[in-house]
């Protein structure tokens, strides 16, 4: 609630002092901008579409791309848009001092799983309740397993 009070106060301040609306809009968008982290394991076509979509939305920002495959093409796609990447192994993923800490330091608001093939640790799902979206989940266990991802599913 304090954030909303601050925003309303700021809007009144800009209006009362007849400051330029573009400046006030920019300030408010920066202040309330929601930061997104994308997790991906493969080529990153979905991640790239998400990056392109949110590039047109000033109230959102794709802050980083996290990947568990060091040579995945998603890393090149992120680089093309100058989005920082973070590559990790299974041990680092399960360690709260690695991936979890990166998410906290970047003040991530939402997590998008875009072809990410690992189960999220409970400490991550607990820290971002109702703020993690899996854009193509499988019906498990019936359709999971090795080799059942990407174009092999279709």
């Amino acid at each position: 609630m304090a954030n909303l009070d601050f925003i309303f106060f700021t809007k009144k301040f800009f209006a009362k002092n007849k400051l330029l609306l573009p400046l006030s809009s920019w300030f408010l968008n920066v202040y309330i901008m929601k930061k997104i982290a994308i997790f991906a394991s493969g080529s990153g076509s979905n991640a790239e579409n998400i990056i392109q979509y949110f590039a047109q939305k000033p109230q959102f920002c794709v802050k980083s791309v996290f990947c568990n495959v060091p040579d995945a093409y998603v890393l090149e796609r992120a680089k093309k848009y100058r989005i920082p990447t973070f590559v990790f192994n299974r041990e680092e993923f399960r360690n709260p001092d690695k991936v979890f800490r990166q998410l906290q330091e970047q003040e991530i608001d939402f997590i998008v799983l875009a072809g990410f093939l690992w189960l999220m640790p409970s400490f991550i799902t607990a820290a971002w309740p109702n703020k993690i979206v899996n854009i193509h989940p499988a019906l498990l266990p019936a359709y999971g397993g090795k080799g059942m991802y990407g174009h092999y599913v279709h």
Side-chain angles (χ1 to χ4, degrees):
M1 192 62 173
N3 286 349
L4 288 177
D5 291 339
F6 176 77
I7 291 168
F8 292 131
F9 168 78
T10 305
K11 283 184 177 182
K12 283 190 225 173
F13 175 81
F14 278 104
K16 180 181 172 187
N17 293 295
K18 295 184 170 78
L19 295 174
L20 295 174
L21 182 59
L23 178 62
S24 65
S25 296
W26 173 85
F27 176 78
L28 292 174
N29 281 339
V30 169
Y31 182 74
I32 62 173
M33 182 183 294
K34 299 297 180 189
K35 299 177 204 95
I36 300 169
I38 298 175
F39 280 72
S41 296
S43 75
S45 57
N46 285 319
E48 185 170 21
N49 287 328
I50 292 166
I51 291 165
Q52 289 174 347
Y53 177 81
F54 285 114
Q56 307 301 317
K57 309 287 183 196
Q59 63 271 35
F60 294 95
C61 170
V62 176
K63 191 77 172 164
S64 56
V65 171
F66 288 77
C67 185
N68 60 324
V69 180
D71 60 347
Y73 193 67
V74 69
L75 301 170
E76 291 300 316
R77 292 182 196 259
K79 185 178 180 181
K80 180 170 77 171
Y81 294 96
R82 296 185 174 139
I83 295 176
T85 58
F86 187 79
V87 179
F88 55 90
N89 59 35
R90 195 171 296 274
E91 183 182 323
E92 292 169 328
F93 188 53
R94 292 179 179 160
N95 181 345
D97 288 333
K98 301 293 182 176
V99 174
F100 182 74
R101 179 170 286 175
Q102 284 290 322
L103 292 166
Q104 287 182 317
E105 287 175 2
Q106 294 178 25
E107 299 178 335
I108 296 299
D109 296 298
F110 297 101
I111 297 172
V112 177
L113 307 178
F116 186 66
L117 300 179
W118 290 352
L119 183 66
M120 297 298 278
S122 60
F123 56 85
I124 292 179
T125 58
W128 282 271
N130 302 315
K131 295 186 178 187
I132 301 174
V133 176
N134 188 356
I135 63 168
H136 49 81
L139 295 173
L140 297 176
Y143 299 100
K146 186 172 182 156
M148 293 304 294
Y149 58 88
H151 67 277
Y152 295 109
V153 174
H154 306 292

